[in-house]
């Protein structure tokens, strides 16, 4: 398998990540969960695409209380800064910036789905079988959790898509169609934005760092 993983994430700094969740459980606890989710994501990607993983990061690891753990987990990864005006533009920039051969599929995820598994990522990669395929995995909130492309230029379509709305998934599919890509659906997942999301994901993936930290937060509350 010659695929590559691309993770687009924020440095887990209290008050800057998972703020919606933080308003319920505290910003420090929300940042802890974000770090756990990112570490789970890094593990799954590294196991699926060893030596072929890339992280587009907003902020720096030095800002995060979890920076040391993340630096250790990211050994061997290409890490570069996000750039662009708006999230869609930053996603397009990340696809352009990752050092990926032209014939390789890029499987791009965020940091909100710690229930990812190597089998799920490998399955998404397998769906991107043709040069004009775009594999899009819907999220339960109307967005999407994964995008796999064999042509980085296809990600330019994301720049004009309104992000973080209940219509983002459908709008992304339409934008990809408009640039000539065939949209192939991947299995849906819940991404973590709310307490209910966190509870659902922790219950479905009890062996993750995310689930362990969620249980600790529950015992402390």
């Amino acid at each position: 398998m010659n695929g590559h993983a691309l993770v687009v994430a924020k440095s887990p700094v209290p008050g800057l990540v998972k703020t919606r969740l933080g308003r319920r459980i505290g910003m420090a606890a929300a940042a802890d969960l974000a770090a756990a989710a990112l570490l789970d994501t890094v593990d799954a990607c590294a196991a699926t695409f060893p030596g072929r993983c890339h992280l587009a990061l907003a902020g720096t690891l030095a800002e995060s209380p979890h920076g040391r753990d993340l630096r250790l987990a990211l050994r061997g990864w290409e890490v570069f800064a996000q750039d662009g005006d708006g999230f869609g533009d930053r996603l397009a920039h990340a696809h352009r910036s990752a050092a990926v051969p032209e014939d390789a599929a890029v499987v791009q995820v965020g940091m909100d789905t710690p229930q990812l598994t190597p089998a799920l990522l490998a399955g998404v990669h397998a769906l991107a079988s043709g040069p004009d395929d775009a594999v899009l995995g819907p999220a339960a909130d109307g967005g999407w959790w994964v995008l796999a492309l064999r042509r980085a230029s296809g990600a330019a379509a994301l720049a004009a898509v309104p992000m973080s709305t209940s219509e983002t998934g459908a709008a992304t599919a339409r934008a990809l169609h408009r640039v000539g890509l065939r949209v192939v659906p991947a299995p849906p997942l819940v991404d973590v934005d709310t307490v209910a999301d966190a509870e659902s994901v922790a219950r479905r993936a009890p062996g993750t760092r995310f689930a362990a930290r969620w249980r600790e937060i529950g015992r402390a509350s």
Side-chain angles (χ1 to χ4, degrees):
M1 183 168 58
N2 68 342
H4 286 243
L6 171 60
V7 178
V8 180
K10 291 181 180 179
S11 181
V13 177
L16 298 181
V17 291
K18 293 289 160 224
T19 53
R20 184 177 174 189
L21 189 59
R23 288 192 288 271
R24 293 286 306 277
I25 66 172
M27 293 300 175
D32 287 349
L33 284 171
L38 181 52
L39 285 165
D40 287 329
T41 302
V42 166
D43 283 352
C45 289
T48 314
F49 305 105
R52 302 185 304 280
C53 295
H54 316 264
L55 172 65
L57 186 68
T60 68
L61 296 180
E63 300 173 286
S64 172
H66 305 277
R68 181 178 179 277
D69 290 341
L70 286 163
R71 281 192 295 271
L72 289 173
L74 289 165
R75 284 178 176 174
W77 283 55
E78 180 197 22
V79 180
F80 55 91
Q82 292 181 26
D83 190 22
D85 298 323
F87 189 48
D89 197 29
R90 294 199 302 273
L91 290 172
H93 177 269
H95 279 264
R96 291 194 305 270
S97 300
V100 175
E102 288 187 8
D103 63 339
V106 173
V107 179
Q108 180 243 306
V109 297
M111 59 188 291
D112 296 339
T113 49
Q115 70 272 45
L116 282 180
T117 63
L120 186 54
L121 291 170
V124 169
H125 176 267
L127 289 171
S129 57
D132 295 326
D133 287 344
V135 182
L136 190 65
D141 62 1
W144 50 270
W145 67 270
V146 67
L147 173 64
L149 294 170
R150 285 193 175 272
R151 288 196 285 115
S153 60
L158 302 175
V161 175
M163 296 291 168
S164 302
T165 79
S166 61
E167 297 297 320
T168 293
T172 300
R174 290 193 297 270
L176 294 168
H177 276 301
R178 282 196 295 270
V179 296
L181 297 177
R182 183 177 75 100
V183 177
V184 181
L189 284 185
V190 172
D191 56 11
V192 176
D193 289 314
T194 67
V195 168
D197 297 336
E199 183 63 36
S200 173
V201 168
R203 187 170 58 251
R204 295 183 185 199
T208 58
R209 290 182 179 87
F210 179 89
R213 184 67 187 108
W214 182 250
R215 290 191 292 268
E216 290 171 0
I217 291 169
R219 286 194 293 269
S221 62

